[in-house]
Amino acid sequence: MKLYDISQEVFTCSIYPDDPRPEKQTLSSMEAGELYNLSAFSMCTHNGTHIDAPRHFFADGKTVDEIPLSHFVGQAYVAEHEGNVRAADALAILQSVSAADPKAAKRILIKGNAVVTEEAASVFAESGIYLIGNESQSVGPEEAPMAVHKILLAAGAVLLEGVRLSEVPAGVYLLNAAPLNLGGMEGSPCRAVLIAE
């Protein structure tokens, strides 16, 4: 069994333009002569490696705590792609996944400098996917992400953004990308891990 940590370190992570950067605060320090170390931190729910729930773009969409954990944990497929993911690319990825392990078709991670287009988002949404992820801080085009997000989130999929897959070969894995149990929130950081068995 091999573990791949595909998460960014929080305080040095990538952030979406104009989002606040994570900050840490020392509340108590043994170095300063106090009895114990105690810290606090603050961050945007979309910093670093994180998930987007439907509430991110839909006022009545499901929040992080309302999504079954089965969307975030289970067989997954890592596909490689560079550039825009078009409808034909999405279909090819789904065919490759189905040939490798049909259960993994519910959770797909795209390795590389890839941007999911609206046409590809529609293909993935129609497939009944639970989760789609990529290495960028946005699954869709960073300058105009809303349309792609809405297509996928409206279909009940969750987005796993900001993963790090450079050391992960394409193929089938067990994914654990469970978010924090943040009641009423539209997104959450997570410690995403792939397990090769």
Side-chain angles (χ1 to χ4, degrees):
M1 178 175 75
K2 182 169 176 60
L3 292 175
Y4 293 93
D5 183 351
I6 59 170
S7 304
Q8 299 178 54
E9 191 281 322
V10 170
F11 297 109
T12 58
C13 72
S14 297
I15 61 167
Y16 191 80
D18 298 325
D19 281 355
R21 182 163 288 289
E23 294 181 355
K24 52 186 165 182
Q25 178 185 8
T26 300
L27 302 177
S28 178
S29 168
M30 294 175 77
E31 224 173 62
E34 296 174 297
L35 293 177
Y36 50 84
N37 293 313
L38 184 65
S39 304
F41 72 96
S42 64
M43 67 184 295
C44 173
T45 56
H46 299 269
N47 288 156
T49 306
H50 67 279
I51 66 97
D52 288 358
R55 181 66 64 88
H56 189 33
F57 280 102
F58 294 100
D60 61 349
K62 286 188 176 180
T63 56
V64 170
D65 54 308
E66 295 173 327
I67 299 167
L69 279 176
S70 58
H71 279 48
F72 308 102
V73 180
Q75 295 299 107
Y77 187 78
V78 174
E80 292 188 56
H81 190 86
E82 290 294 323
N84 288 338
V85 181
R86 301 286 183 195
D89 303 317
L91 286 167
I93 289 169
L94 288 168
Q95 288 169 353
S96 296
V97 180
S98 295
D101 183 346
K103 291 179 189 170
K106 291 292 187 186
R107 298 168 204 86
I108 296 174
L109 303 179
I110 302 173
K111 174 181 177 176
N113 186 18
V115 176
V116 176
T117 62
E118 290 179 50
E119 60 187 86
S122 295
V123 170
F124 287 127
E126 288 166 17
S127 77
I129 198 167
Y130 288 167
L131 176 149
I132 186 157
N134 70 338
E135 298 200 70
S136 170
Q137 290 305 114
S138 175
V139 166
E142 194 169 281
E143 66 281 0
M146 186 179 295
V148 169
H149 277 68
K150 282 191 159 187
I151 291 166
L152 291 162
L153 296 171
V158 292
L159 311 181
L160 175 59
E161 297 171 322
V163 294
R164 294 296 177 253
L165 299 168
S166 62
E167 305 299 316
V168 183
V172 177
Y173 297 87
L174 177 62
L175 170 69
N176 183 346
L180 298 177
N181 193 5
L182 299 176
M185 300 298 280
E186 82 297 333
S188 171
C190 66
R191 181 77 178 263
V193 176
L194 288 171
I195 303 167
E197 298 184 274

